[in-house]
Amino acid sequence: MNLYQVPPRWLFLEIETDEGITGWGEPVIEGRASIVKTAVEDFSGYLIGKDPLRIEDHWQVMYRGGFYRGGPEVMSAIAGIDQALWDIKGKYYNAPIYELLGGRCRDRLRVYSWIGGDRPEDVRQGALKLYETGCTAVKMNGTEEMHYVDSYEKIQEVVNRVASIREALGYKMDIGVDFHGRVHKTMAKVLAKELEPFKLMFIEEPVLSQNNEALREIAGHTSTPIATGERMFSRWEFKNLLMDGYVDIIQPDLSHAGGISEVKKIAAMAEAFDVAVAPHCPLGPIALAACVQLDACTPNVFIQEQSLGIHYNKEGADLLDYLVDPNVFRFHDGFIDIPGGPGLGIQLNKEKIVEAARIGHNWKNPVWRNYDGTMAEW
């Protein structure tokens, strides 16, 4: 096993087999790459010498073999290993992973792009620029820091930003607004109601996932689809969310929530509750490739996040920089094609990865404070 901590904030895993087949995965929690790296190294003691094709058994041992289980770092380590094992299995059988999971149920995949950053300003120009490239759906951070009860001035700023996109493009551009868990229940109700007239594609993480019980109240203030799940790490966490019935779209992350194996099960659970899936993926090319493989064979996926040009990638690298053939993720008319190559369907530039790993990174999210000095959610 080889691990590469590469800019801007990613961790790549390479698993080599004695038959000469190599699999790649992306095990990372943003801001804690070094901790996940250690967790992967800990699992390697169990995995070395095992049959890589026994993916489900290895998943069960990694998850259930310790007395304590779950959590973002451990589940992200399992996720990256799982991706790499599926990549190996696909290459062994000379088939895309989706063929081993039931085969394609779609011909192409809709994607959305990010607009603006942590402190969104001129999102109108960003939306126009993306629309010119063929993008038909965007997501933006809704707010900056917001206190438990905050000013209506901040609410109006969010409304004005969304309105600027609608005024420029009408309904030719679908819009998702990410509350990013920055908004507490009281203000989330207000914001959801105020954004109702703009007919959004969804509002995301209106409250932190630890406060999902608040979705009941928030849903009563809007008909806009509610999305959440990027900070939920197993089917057991999603179980109660789905049973409560106040979510419309779940967003598990294939580099956080146990990998391809686990998210396939989570998506199947969601289908039984008539809930859509839009996998979370503001990450690198391996994570996106894993998502696309899952999306290809999962009927309730309706759109895929991807990080081309995302604000997090401004320093050091972007999504396509580590690929031999960057065209595999080129989108047109708001869609990308389903790759037909074996395994994850991508070829990584190992020379570039090794070179970038020498630079490395120690990315951390910022620490924000409210106007009165109290800690704010980023």
Side-chain angles (χ1 to χ4, degrees), residues 208-279:
L208 289 169
S209 55
Q210 294 94 325
N211 300 324
N212 277 340
E213 70 281 353
L215 297 181
R216 178 194 301 265
E217 286 189 60
I218 295 166
H221 289 76
T222 184
S223 63
T224 303
I226 294 174
T228 194
E230 69 184 67
R231 286 184 266 196
M232 300 171 67
F233 308 110
S234 74
R235 77 198 85 150
W236 293 278
E237 292 183 45
F238 280 93
K239 176 175 68 174
N240 289 333
L241 174 69
L242 292 167
M243 290 177 67
D244 287 344
Y246 294 100
V247 67
D248 303 290
I249 303 160
I250 60 165
Q251 300 170 302
D253 189 306
L254 274 76
S255 281
H256 303 340
I260 294 170
S261 297
E262 182 70 352
V263 177
K264 182 64 172 171
K265 295 172 183 177
I266 292 168
M269 288 171 52
E271 185 182 7
F273 286 89
D274 204 25
V275 169
V277 180

Side-chain angles (χ1 to χ4, degrees), residues 51-252:
D51 179 356
L53 303 183
R54 296 186 61 181
I55 299 172
E56 181 64 28
D57 188 59
H58 298 325
W59 198 100
Q60 293 290 329
V61 171
M62 288 187 289
Y63 182 79
R64 299 171 61 190
F67 185 78
Y68 300 98
R69 57 191 64 171
E73 290 85 4
V74 170
M75 294 303 289
S76 296
I78 293 173
I81 293 167
D82 181 84
Q83 292 169 7
L85 293 179
W86 275 110
D87 192 27
I88 289 168
K89 191 159 191 168
K91 290 171 179 173
Y92 180 81
Y93 287 108
N94 194 31
I97 292 167
Y98 58 75
E99 292 290 2
L100 307 180
L101 294 173
R104 285 191 303 159
C105 63
R106 57 171 40 87
D107 299 321
R108 58 181 186 160
L109 175 66
R110 194 180 187 203
V111 295
Y112 68 82
S113 299
W114 267 86
I115 183 172
D118 283 335
R119 299 186 180 277
E121 295 171 355
D122 192 359
V123 297
R124 179 180 180 277
Q125 285 303 117
L128 286 168
K129 183 177 178 181
L130 281 170
Y131 182 73
E132 290 169 1
T133 69
C135 177
T136 61
V138 295
K139 185 168 80 175
M140 55 183 282
N141 276 325
T143 74
E144 300 183 5
E145 54 267 85
M146 188 165 282
H147 219 318
Y148 280 83
V149 178
D150 213 316
S151 72
Y152 278 83
E153 180 182 10
K154 288 186 179 179
I155 297 292
Q156 191 59 46
E157 287 173 355
V158 179
V159 171
N160 291 345
R161 285 194 289 268
V162 176
S164 72
I165 301 175
R166 280 284 177 254
E167 289 165 2
L169 291 167
Y171 291 95
K172 292 183 285 189
M173 181 74 81
D174 285 330
I175 306 169
V177 175
D178 190 355
F179 289 27
H180 216 260
R182 297 170 181 170
V183 187
H184 298 276
K185 179 181 71 171
T186 303
M187 301 309 291
K189 291 188 292 184
V190 175
L191 195 51
K193 185 175 181 179
E194 291 296 317
L195 289 172
E196 172 87 7
F198 297 104
K199 298 179 174 60
L200 300 176
M201 181 169 59
F202 55 75
I203 56 173
E204 177 175 335
E205 244 189 351
V207 290
L208 289 169
S209 55
Q210 294 94 325
N211 300 324
N212 277 340
E213 70 281 353
L215 297 181
R216 178 194 301 265
E217 286 189 60
I218 295 166
H221 289 76
T222 184
S223 63
T224 303
I226 294 174
T228 194
E230 69 184 67
R231 286 184 266 196
M232 300 171 67
F233 308 110
S234 74
R235 77 198 85 150
W236 293 278
E237 292 183 45
F238 280 93
K239 176 175 68 174
N240 289 333
L241 174 69
L242 292 167
M243 290 177 67
D244 287 344
Y246 294 100
V247 67
D248 303 290
I249 303 160
I250 60 165
Q251 300 170 302

Side-chain angles (χ1 to χ4, degrees), residues 7-25:
R9 56 178 190 162
W10 303 331
L11 179 67
F12 295 166
L13 166 66
E14 179 187 33
I15 297 181
E16 299 173 314
T17 70
D18 55 9
E19 292 195 16
I21 300 174
T22 297
W24 290 88

Side-chain angles (χ1 to χ4, degrees), residues 320-337:
L320 305 179
D321 292 351
Y322 296 108
L323 295 174
V324 172
D325 179 14
N327 290 313
V328 68
F329 290 138
R330 299 287 186 194
F331 65 86
H332 44 87
D333 298 326
F335 290 81
I336 60 174
D337 294 326

